[in-house]
Amino acid sequence: MSEYSEALIKCTTKQIGFISSHNKINPYAEWYGAQVNQAAIFEKSPWCAMFVSWCFNEIGYPLPEMQHKVYSGFASTQIGLEYCKQKNWIVSTPESGDIVFYTWDKGKTCRHVGIVIENFARSILAIEGNTGNPIGVY
């Protein structure tokens, strides 16, 4: 387990149940966009990557500027995946606290991202945002 994974798991677990709606401010997109005063732009965007970026920032381990020079982390899952590939951060056996990127077209396009909570022999347990349901464990 990495030095930050326990804190990351606690942080993500506290977010379980959050539902993004038009009546509720999305704190993850707001945080991401607020870095350059553009929260409104990101408020209506898919926010799974912003959730992951926010969680790392919350525990004091902000992700590098993967997508924009002024933003910590990433909003685009595909850009996040490409950045991690360039840094050789992709592993075949994820551990607690790792970022998991999901593709449904044999690895061509990344469509979703979450944080690994536990790795089992043939599956992982992850906490994800923007799944169409409240933030939850999947």
Side-chain angles (χ1 to χ4, degrees), residues 9-111:
I9 291 168
K10 286 179 184 177
C11 178
T12 57
T13 302
K14 288 179 185 176
Q15 304 308 306
I16 292 174
F18 174 81
I19 300 172
S20 181
S21 70
H22 296 296
N23 300 331
K24 197 172 193 178
I25 294 173
N26 179 329
Y28 322 108
E30 182 179 51
W31 165 81
Y32 189 82
Q35 294 182 72
V36 290
N37 299 317
Q38 295 183 0
I41 292 171
F42 294 103
E43 182 63 33
K44 296 179 188 201
S45 301
W47 50 274
C48 57
M50 292 180 274
F51 168 70
V52 167
S53 298
W54 178 88
C55 289
F56 275 89
N57 188 72
E58 280 295 295
I59 66 163
Y61 285 87
L63 295 173
E65 298 161 344
M66 296 179 176
Q67 184 168 350
H68 303 284
K69 298 231 183 276
V70 293
Y71 298 117
S72 170
F74 59 107
S76 163
T77 56
Q78 188 65 35
I79 289 173
L81 176 60
E82 293 303 322
Y83 183 92
C84 290
K85 283 180 180 178
Q86 289 174 2
K87 296 291 185 181
N88 292 317
W89 292 347
I90 303 299
V91 297
S92 58
T93 307
E95 297 178 3
S96 297
D98 285 349
I99 298 171
V100 57
F101 292 95
Y102 297 98
T103 63
W104 289 279
D105 58 359
K106 298 183 181 179
K108 295 178 186 171
T109 308
C110 183
R111 299 277 186 217

